[in-house]
Amino acid sequence: MAKKQVKQSTEKAETITMDQVSAGGVAFRWQGSEPEMVIVSVKPKMRWQLPKGIVDPGETPEITAVREVREEAGVETDLIALIEAIEYWYRAVKYGKPVRYHKFVHFYLLQYRSGDVSDHDLEVAEARWVSFDKAIEMLAFESERKVVEKAREMIAAMGRE
């Protein structure tokens, strides 16, 4: 008996490359003589990270950083300075097609003005104030741990106002 031939597709889904720009920050306040900062645990992966999000059309990275910290961490802040912009690549699926993203994230030093970390939005499981040492222990991404180290140096150079 003859075998039935099965035609196999050799077409691969074409991967497109897109740039993506986000912004966020290290929001800090003074607790006694030491600064502390906000970190967030974002659903569904439940990993600790700095608050950040995509720069919306018409926004600057500075505006986005302040907005995202307010939305994800529940606190109002004043922008002090750019800490650093990092970049990396990741893959995802958008509209059923594979996408390779070249991501740029602008991180800013932000000083706490008001608000409560319990007032975060729904995508965040928890926001909390922690020491800089604890943040470095808890943060999931090495690049963000390096940002926190730079923020700590900037705060030390500023001194307490």
Side-chain angles (χ1 to χ4, degrees):
M1 181 175 252
K3 285 188 175 180
K4 185 176 179 182
Q5 287 188 329
V6 178
K7 184 177 179 184
Q8 292 185 340
S9 172
T10 57
E11 284 184 35
K12 267 186 134 177
E14 186 177 328
T15 301
I16 61 169
T17 300
M18 297 178 70
D19 286 344
Q20 189 176 65
V21 181
S22 292
V26 174
F28 79 97
R29 69 180 181 185
W30 290 96
Q31 188 66 22
S33 62
E34 294 295 318
E36 61 181 7
M37 58 173 286
V38 175
I39 58 175
V40 297
S41 177
V42 179
K43 300 173 189 174
K45 295 188 178 179
M46 304 301 283
R47 63 183 173 213
W48 290 101
Q49 61 189 53
L50 295 174
K52 63 183 173 295
I54 292 177
V55 176
D56 288 339
E59 272 187 335
T60 64
E62 295 87 351
I63 290 169
T64 301
V66 171
R67 176 181 56 78
E68 286 292 338
V69 168
R70 181 181 62 250
E71 290 173 3
E72 292 190 357
V75 296
E76 297 286 341
T77 57
D78 294 318
L79 189 134
I80 305 296
L82 177 68
I83 300 168
E84 115 174 275
I86 63 171
E87 67 178 286
Y88 56 91
W89 294 86
Y90 76 96
R91 293 182 179 275
V93 175
K94 184 175 183 176
Y95 307 120
K97 306 238 183 224
V99 179
R100 184 173 179 241
Y101 286 100
H102 190 190
K103 179 106 176 196
F104 299 86
V105 186
H106 302 263
F107 283 109
Y108 293 88
L109 185 62
L110 305 163
Q111 187 156 13
Y112 171 79
R113 188 173 357 117
S114 63
D116 190 312
V117 291
S118 65
D119 191 24
H120 57 75
D121 65 11
L122 296 176
E123 72 183 281
V124 172
E126 182 182 356
R128 69 167 73 157
W129 290 103
V130 296
S131 70
F132 275 65
D133 287 338
K134 190 70 174 170
I136 290 165
E137 281 177 33
M138 294 174 69
L139 289 170
F141 303 114
E142 180 181 358
S143 59
E144 291 189 3
R145 292 191 293 271
K146 289 178 181 177
V147 166
V148 169
E149 289 285 6
K150 288 180 181 179
R152 180 169 25 200
E153 291 169 11
M154 291 171 72
I155 292 167
M158 286 175 16
R160 185 158 183 187
E161 295 179 7

